[in-house]
Amino acid sequence: MFPHRPGLKRIYFLFLFLFSPLLAINSYALRAFPDERNSGQIDKEALKKAQENKVVQAIRLTENLVLDGYLNEEIYKHPSCEDFIQTDPVDGAPASEKTRVWVFYDSSNLYVAAYCHDSNPKGIIGQLGRRDYSVDSDWFIFCIDPYFDRRSGYAFWVNPAGSMIDRVLYNDISEDKSWDGVWEARSRIVADGWTVEMKIPLNQLRFPASEKQVWGVNFQRIIKRKNEKVSFAWVPKEDNAFVSRFARLEGLEKIKPGRRIEAFPYTVGQARFSPAEPGNPFETGHKYRGNAGLDLKAGLKSNLTLDTTFNPDFGQVEVDPAVINLTAYETYYEEKRPFFIEGATIFNNFGRGGIYINADMNWPKPRLFYSRRIGREPQGYPQHDGYVSLPDRSTIIGAFKLTGKQGSGWNIGVINAVTAREYATVDDLSARYRDEVAPFTYYGVFRGQKELNQGRQGFGFLLTTVIRDLREESLRSLLAREAFCLAFDGWAFLNKKRDWVLGGWLGGTVLRGSEEAIYRIQRSSIHYFQRPDASHVSLDPEATSLSGFGGKISLAKQQGHTIVYLSTGVLSPGFDPNDAGYQRSISDRINFQGYLGYMWTKPGRVFQQALLIGGVERNYDFGWNKTFEGWMVDLQGVFRNWWTADIAFTYYPKIFSNTLTRGGPLALIPEGYLAQATLETDSRKTFVFYGSAYYGETKRKQEQWELSLGVRWKPRPDFNLSFGPSVGKDCNETQWLTSVADPLMVETFGRRYIFGRIDQTIVASELRLNWIFTPRLSLQVYLQPYIGVGKYDRFKQLNLPRSYDYLIFGENGSTIEYQNGFYRLDPDGAGPAPTITIYNPDFNYKSLRGTVVLRWEYRLGSLIYLVWTQNRADYKNPGDFSLGRDLGDLFTAPGDNVFLIKFTYRFNL
């Protein structure tokens, strides 16, 4: 049944070659893990007790501090913080190198200085990286919790080369890399180590108004050549905690965050050059655009930040990767627009408070707010025929965002945005038409979260609203007029040590619109109400609204060596967050999960540390048909040579799919399995190699594998290059093609569900180059060649629901003919069943996407971007894969070239 099965031997050999170090471990696996009960030498409980009493004293400056990296002022004679403890390589051991830290402040700024002593200064690694880019380097990290809520804060990183990173801390152990504070740092390599000084304006931080402040604080240091990480406020590896264990920062008096008002005017120019299309008035070979606007950021009172934007530039500098999507669900792309990613944690952490474990196999993780919905590509279509110019996004007229803390422990997040009507211009060479393809739309997002008892308990809500002004009939029949979602979340730690936690969320959605729009939504892939054998759902052609509910509750033990995760979730058939959010799967599911794991944190003979976890997950629809089951075991480890590995195996018993027929009856999916492995070498080396592989098989249905290899090269502190090719095959006997009405097919309720076997080959690679001239001036290059080829044969129809019974056209009296690009499928030859005609679905998609970005922060908070983006695509030779020929076609294909310059200037008012 599978034409490529002989080639599997080569895949097995590749798999064995890449992961032979892991297989060798099995012969003495029992000796790989130490007995944690007899770890002996380090009394972790005593160390944990000592951490509770750590206090850092901030010193008020009486004279100016020169930020130059030289620690030679008199103020450095004050006592420093020096009690650092290892997390790696030996958890709980004293730091191997001395580190001294001071904290100073004045009425406007917070200052932090560190003297990182080193017995081998030549071994200090100072890799240059652009702002917020984590490189393989030594680092000093300063963390604060200004609200002292034991859950949130800020982290500031500086390395010996002067590279800087800042992050927002939330949910105790989570980080948001999108925040860009305006602060300064200087570092120097000295005779016996390296030094760093930081200057952080108080108006960049949010903290409560009080005469005397008590904050949480922590200092960390990474000594890369030793893979050593030390902390002042140490947390054992087996404890899933961070901010909640910070030391106390005292001595801050009579400080205020100040009035923070920043203006960021911008201007942008763009030129696009592409091959001219003869006769097409819209594709003349060149297009030019320019724009200007203003962003404002203001601190309200002491705790809230208001971001507003006028005529915003919501273009993105980095291109989205190429993919081939043969499913009924849209592809998810990460948000890359600065207005939305900064401060997004208040929205993105909905339903995740308190629960740190993420072990879902087949729970869709609905995102109730997906910011790329705002300004999305128009969903309508032109009403006239001819040459068409379609906008690639909806123009955002204006937007504002309010984030921060208000009152006693309330985290607040609000986004309001309005997008304009968008029109397609259609030219039939005799007249031009403007057809509306996107309505005037309002988006509202409201988030609140209340923390209690230093984060031991919490609850919150999220409300999203989408309101469209639907003037055109084509849009009224396509889109919901109104979409609302209201949900509540919360958590509670069940004991003082925060070992056990209970958390979850519960909410509902409501859509309102015309009968035609709601009918279309009922039939869409997130609902499939037309399923003929589902007694718990039915189509209502007269409905003008659709509602549903969803929720999930989890119980977890996430402290200590033993890990437990139990969870149950539900999404009713009518639940639909997709107007403001994102859900890439059908609702109509009841989910159960159970996982048990154990973590080794003391170095053994093989592993530096390791995690073994296993569990089971099941899904049922609301008719109690089992639609998913998976049994998984996963081993993750860090070897003593600092290579990392992950091996996972999942067994899938047979189930009934309620999506394979795309609105048709249930279909049997036989049992199968999936084996996966990844391996990465020591990141301290000049060359870092990494690889991954997986192989999966579903009995009689599908066989798939993929092999990915990569290398990261770091020849100099200011330059690194990574390259990673991948190749994969997927042979699927039941790739959905279409369904057609036929009253004679009573077994499948009057429709024939047509499938084909697809033999798909994917060859791709990614190249990334980073050349960092200074921490503020950098050049980045990204290139992704991608080839995806699919060949279809063995066309078939489903004979019986809840079975793996198919009629292959051309067998048992059926016929198949191919002519002029179309297949004619006849289920019974000369019999009465009508012939089914389908277009040849073979494809050969070749894409080359690349971008070159020069970024210069010419003054604090002010930027210039120079960007060149190129896109090439080719579709010749559908269904026929030839690597040399296809690569030649790809690199000689005509392409679009876009040149962009963007200039922003920061005014600190």
Side-chain angles (χ1 to χ4, degrees), residues 143-146 148-154 168-175 216-218 233 235 240-247 356 454 498:
C143 305
I144 48 171
D145 171 12
F148 206 40
D149 59 13
R150 298 295 192 180
R151 283 182 51 80
S152 64
Y154 305 86
V168 168
L169 308 175
Y170 68 98
N171 201 22
D172 196 1
I173 67 166
S174 301
E175 296 180 339
V217 67
N218 196 6
V235 180
N240 224 334
F242 186 56
V243 179
S244 58
R245 306 288 180 86
F246 280 9
Y356 313 138
Q454 292 189 324
R498 304 193 184 203

Short mmCIF file of all heavy atoms in Angstrom, two decimals, residues 143-146 148-154 168-175 216-218 233 235 240-247 356 454 498:
data_model
loop_
_atom_site.label_atom_id
_atom_site.label_comp_id
_atom_site.label_asym_id
_atom_site.label_seq_id
_atom_site.Cartn_x
_atom_site.Cartn_y
_atom_site.Cartn_z
N CYS A 143 17.11 41.28 38.41
CA CYS A 143 15.67 41.07 38.40
C CYS A 143 15.03 41.79 39.59
O CYS A 143 15.56 41.72 40.71
CB CYS A 143 15.32 39.58 38.48
SG CYS A 143 16.07 38.56 37.20
N ILE A 144 13.91 42.44 39.34
CA ILE A 144 13.20 43.12 40.43
C ILE A 144 11.71 42.85 40.33
O ILE A 144 11.16 42.63 39.25
CB ILE A 144 13.45 44.65 40.42
CG1 ILE A 144 13.24 45.23 39.02
CG2 ILE A 144 14.77 45.01 40.98
CD1 ILE A 144 13.25 46.74 39.00
N ASP A 145 11.08 42.89 41.48
CA ASP A 145 9.63 42.76 41.62
C ASP A 145 9.14 44.00 42.36
O ASP A 145 9.00 44.00 43.58
CB ASP A 145 9.32 41.47 42.41
CG ASP A 145 7.86 41.34 42.81
OD1 ASP A 145 7.03 42.11 42.30
OD2 ASP A 145 7.55 40.46 43.65
N PRO A 146 8.89 45.13 41.65
CA PRO A 146 8.59 46.39 42.33
C PRO A 146 7.30 46.37 43.14
O PRO A 146 7.18 47.13 44.11
CB PRO A 146 8.51 47.40 41.17
CG PRO A 146 9.26 46.78 40.05
CD PRO A 146 9.02 45.31 40.20
N PHE A 148 6.30 43.74 44.72
CA PHE A 148 6.51 42.71 45.73
C PHE A 148 5.28 41.81 45.84
O PHE A 148 4.85 41.43 46.94
CB PHE A 148 6.85 43.34 47.08
CG PHE A 148 7.65 42.41 47.97
CD1 PHE A 148 8.66 41.62 47.47
CD2 PHE A 148 7.39 42.34 49.34
CE1 PHE A 148 9.38 40.76 48.28
CE2 PHE A 148 8.12 41.50 50.16
CZ PHE A 148 9.12 40.72 49.63
N ASP A 149 4.73 41.48 44.66
CA ASP A 149 3.55 40.61 44.62
C ASP A 149 3.91 39.14 44.46
O ASP A 149 3.05 38.29 44.38
CB ASP A 149 2.60 41.04 43.51
CG ASP A 149 3.25 41.01 42.12
OD1 ASP A 149 4.36 40.44 41.98
OD2 ASP A 149 2.67 41.58 41.18
N ARG A 150 5.22 38.87 44.35
CA ARG A 150 5.75 37.50 44.25
C ARG A 150 5.34 36.81 42.95
O ARG A 150 5.44 35.59 42.84
CB ARG A 150 5.29 36.65 45.44
CG ARG A 150 5.75 37.13 46.78
CD ARG A 150 7.25 37.04 46.93
NE ARG A 150 7.71 37.23 48.30
CZ ARG A 150 8.97 37.20 48.66
NH1 ARG A 150 9.91 37.01 47.75
NH2 ARG A 150 9.34 37.37 49.91
N ARG A 151 4.92 37.61 41.93
CA ARG A 151 4.49 37.00 40.67
C ARG A 151 5.02 37.72 39.45
O ARG A 151 5.11 37.14 38.37
CB ARG A 151 2.96 36.97 40.58
CG ARG A 151 2.31 35.89 41.40
CD ARG A 151 0.80 35.91 41.23
NE ARG A 151 0.39 35.92 39.83
CZ ARG A 151 0.34 34.83 39.06
NH1 ARG A 151 0.72 33.66 39.55
NH2 ARG A 151 -0.07 34.91 37.81
N SER A 152 5.36 39.00 39.56
CA SER A 152 5.68 39.79 38.37
C SER A 152 6.90 40.65 38.62
O SER A 152 7.34 40.83 39.77
CB SER A 152 4.49 40.67 37.98
OG SER A 152 4.22 41.62 39.00
N GLY A 153 7.46 41.18 37.53
CA GLY A 153 8.62 42.05 37.69
C GLY A 153 9.30 42.31 36.37
O GLY A 153 8.69 42.21 35.28
N TYR A 154 10.60 42.67 36.44
CA TYR A 154 11.40 42.99 35.27
C TYR A 154 12.75 42.29 35.40
O TYR A 154 13.24 42.04 36.51
CB TYR A 154 11.66 44.50 35.17
CG TYR A 154 10.42 45.36 35.16
CD1 TYR A 154 9.84 45.78 36.36
CD2 TYR A 154 9.84 45.78 33.97
CE1 TYR A 154 8.71 46.59 36.36
CE2 TYR A 154 8.73 46.60 33.96
CZ TYR A 154 8.16 47.00 35.16
OH TYR A 154 7.05 47.80 35.17
N VAL A 168 9.85 41.32 30.74
CA VAL A 168 8.85 41.43 31.79
C VAL A 168 8.63 40.03 32.36
O VAL A 168 8.51 39.05 31.61
CB VAL A 168 7.54 42.01 31.24
CG1 VAL A 168 6.41 41.84 32.25
CG2 VAL A 168 7.70 43.48 30.91
N LEU A 169 8.59 39.92 33.67
CA LEU A 169 8.35 38.66 34.35
C LEU A 169 6.88 38.59 34.78
O LEU A 169 6.33 39.58 35.26
CB LEU A 169 9.25 38.52 35.57
CG LEU A 169 10.75 38.76 35.35
CD1 LEU A 169 11.50 38.71 36.67
CD2 LEU A 169 11.32 37.73 34.38
N TYR A 170 6.27 37.43 34.61
CA TYR A 170 4.87 37.27 35.02
C TYR A 170 4.60 35.81 35.36
O TYR A 170 5.36 34.91 34.97
CB TYR A 170 3.92 37.76 33.93
CG TYR A 170 3.90 36.93 32.68
CD1 TYR A 170 2.92 35.97 32.45
CD2 TYR A 170 4.89 37.08 31.69
CE1 TYR A 170 2.91 35.20 31.30
CE2 TYR A 170 4.87 36.32 30.54
CZ TYR A 170 3.88 35.38 30.35
OH TYR A 170 3.87 34.61 29.21
N ASN A 171 3.53 35.59 36.08
CA ASN A 171 3.11 34.23 36.46
C ASN A 171 4.26 33.47 37.13
O ASN A 171 4.43 32.28 36.94
CB ASN A 171 2.59 33.47 35.25
CG ASN A 171 1.71 32.30 35.63
OD1 ASN A 171 1.15 32.26 36.72
ND2 ASN A 171 1.59 31.32 34.74
N ASP A 172 5.08 34.19 37.88
CA ASP A 172 6.18 33.64 38.68
C ASP A 172 7.37 33.18 37.84
O ASP A 172 8.51 33.61 38.07
CB ASP A 172 5.69 32.51 39.58
CG ASP A 172 6.67 32.16 40.69
OD1 ASP A 172 7.74 32.82 40.78
OD2 ASP A 172 6.40 31.26 41.48
N ILE A 173 7.15 32.31 36.84
CA ILE A 173 8.29 31.75 36.10
C ILE A 173 8.30 32.14 34.63
O ILE A 173 9.22 31.75 33.91
CB ILE A 173 8.30 30.21 36.20
CG1 ILE A 173 7.10 29.61 35.45
CG2 ILE A 173 8.34 29.74 37.63
CD1 ILE A 173 7.22 28.13 35.22
N SER A 174 7.33 32.91 34.15
CA SER A 174 7.23 33.20 32.72
C SER A 174 7.87 34.54 32.39
O SER A 174 8.00 35.42 33.25
CB SER A 174 5.76 33.21 32.28
OG SER A 174 5.16 31.95 32.53
N GLU A 175 8.27 34.70 31.12
CA GLU A 175 8.93 35.92 30.65
C GLU A 175 8.27 36.42 29.38
O GLU A 175 7.83 35.63 28.54
CB GLU A 175 10.41 35.66 30.34
CG GLU A 175 11.24 35.27 31.53
CD GLU A 175 12.70 35.03 31.15
OE1 GLU A 175 12.96 34.78 29.94
OE2 GLU A 175 13.58 35.09 32.02
N GLY A 216 10.99 43.03 45.60
CA GLY A 216 11.70 41.77 45.47
C GLY A 216 12.90 41.97 44.56
O GLY A 216 12.87 42.80 43.64
N VAL A 217 13.98 41.21 44.80
CA VAL A 217 15.18 41.39 44.00
C VAL A 217 15.94 40.07 43.87
O VAL A 217 15.90 39.22 44.76
CB VAL A 217 16.10 42.47 44.62
CG1 VAL A 217 16.67 42.00 45.96
CG2 VAL A 217 17.22 42.87 43.66
N ASN A 218 16.59 39.93 42.74
CA ASN A 218 17.48 38.79 42.53
C ASN A 218 18.58 39.19 41.56
O ASN A 218 18.39 40.06 40.70
CB ASN A 218 16.71 37.59 41.97
CG ASN A 218 17.47 36.28 42.10
OD1 ASN A 218 18.54 36.23 42.72
ND2 ASN A 218 16.94 35.22 41.51
N ALA A 233 19.31 34.89 44.98
CA ALA A 233 18.12 34.27 45.57
C ALA A 233 17.93 32.92 44.86
O ALA A 233 17.27 32.83 43.82
CB ALA A 233 16.90 35.16 45.39
N VAL A 235 16.93 29.10 43.85
CA VAL A 235 15.76 28.23 43.85
C VAL A 235 16.20 26.86 43.36
O VAL A 235 16.82 26.76 42.29
CB VAL A 235 14.65 28.77 42.93
CG1 VAL A 235 13.45 27.83 42.94
CG2 VAL A 235 14.23 30.17 43.35
N ASN A 240 9.47 24.64 40.88
CA ASN A 240 9.00 25.44 39.75
C ASN A 240 8.62 26.83 40.26
O ASN A 240 7.44 27.16 40.44
CB ASN A 240 7.79 24.76 39.10
CG ASN A 240 7.88 24.77 37.60
OD1 ASN A 240 8.54 25.64 37.03
ND2 ASN A 240 7.22 23.82 36.96
N ALA A 241 9.61 27.67 40.52
CA ALA A 241 9.37 28.99 41.10
C ALA A 241 10.52 29.90 40.69
O ALA A 241 11.62 29.46 40.37
CB ALA A 241 9.27 28.90 42.61
N PHE A 242 10.27 31.20 40.73
CA PHE A 242 11.32 32.19 40.47
C PHE A 242 11.03 33.48 41.23
O PHE A 242 11.62 33.75 42.26
CB PHE A 242 11.46 32.45 38.97
CG PHE A 242 12.61 33.36 38.63
CD1 PHE A 242 13.90 33.04 39.04
CD2 PHE A 242 12.42 34.52 37.91
CE1 PHE A 242 14.98 33.88 38.74
CE2 PHE A 242 13.48 35.36 37.59
CZ PHE A 242 14.76 35.03 38.01
N VAL A 243 10.10 34.28 40.74
CA VAL A 243 9.82 35.57 41.37
C VAL A 243 9.37 35.39 42.81
O VAL A 243 9.71 36.20 43.68
CB VAL A 243 8.77 36.35 40.56
CG1 VAL A 243 8.46 37.70 41.21
CG2 VAL A 243 9.24 36.57 39.13
N SER A 244 8.64 34.34 43.09
CA SER A 244 8.12 34.13 44.45
C SER A 244 9.22 33.87 45.47
O SER A 244 8.97 33.92 46.68
CB SER A 244 7.13 32.95 44.45
OG SER A 244 7.76 31.77 43.98
N ARG A 245 10.46 33.62 45.02
CA ARG A 245 11.56 33.36 45.95
C ARG A 245 12.58 34.51 45.98
O ARG A 245 13.67 34.33 46.51
CB ARG A 245 12.28 32.08 45.54
CG ARG A 245 11.38 30.86 45.39
CD ARG A 245 10.88 30.34 46.72
NE ARG A 245 10.04 29.17 46.53
CZ ARG A 245 10.50 27.92 46.44
NH1 ARG A 245 11.80 27.70 46.51
NH2 ARG A 245 9.67 26.92 46.26
N PHE A 246 12.24 35.66 45.43
CA PHE A 246 13.18 36.78 45.43
C PHE A 246 13.51 37.23 46.85
O PHE A 246 12.70 37.10 47.78
CB PHE A 246 12.60 37.97 44.67
CG PHE A 246 12.72 37.87 43.18
CD1 PHE A 246 13.14 36.71 42.55
CD2 PHE A 246 12.42 38.97 42.37
CE1 PHE A 246 13.25 36.62 41.18
CE2 PHE A 246 12.52 38.89 40.99
CZ PHE A 246 12.94 37.72 40.40
N ALA A 247 14.73 37.78 47.01
CA ALA A 247 15.11 38.42 48.27
C ALA A 247 14.39 39.76 48.39
O ALA A 247 13.75 40.25 47.44
CB ALA A 247 16.62 38.61 48.31
N TYR A 356 1.97 25.94 35.54
CA TYR A 356 3.17 26.11 34.71
C TYR A 356 3.39 24.94 33.75
O TYR A 356 4.11 25.07 32.77
CB TYR A 356 4.41 26.26 35.59
CG TYR A 356 4.26 27.24 36.73
CD1 TYR A 356 4.77 26.96 37.99
CD2 TYR A 356 3.60 28.44 36.54
CE1 TYR A 356 4.64 27.85 39.04
CE2 TYR A 356 3.46 29.35 37.59
CZ TYR A 356 3.98 29.05 38.83
OH TYR A 356 3.83 29.94 39.86
N GLN A 454 -0.20 37.42 47.97
CA GLN A 454 1.10 37.34 47.29
C GLN A 454 1.10 36.30 46.16
O GLN A 454 2.03 35.55 45.97
CB GLN A 454 2.22 37.04 48.27
CG GLN A 454 2.50 38.19 49.25
CD GLN A 454 3.75 37.97 50.06
OE1 GLN A 454 4.07 36.85 50.44
NE2 GLN A 454 4.47 39.05 50.33
N ARG A 498 3.39 25.81 47.91
CA ARG A 498 2.96 25.93 46.52
C ARG A 498 3.27 24.65 45.72
O ARG A 498 3.56 24.71 44.53
CB ARG A 498 3.58 27.14 45.83
CG ARG A 498 3.33 28.46 46.54
CD ARG A 498 3.70 29.63 45.66
NE ARG A 498 3.55 30.90 46.39
CZ ARG A 498 3.37 32.07 45.82
NH1 ARG A 498 3.34 32.17 44.50
NH2 ARG A 498 3.25 33.18 46.52
#
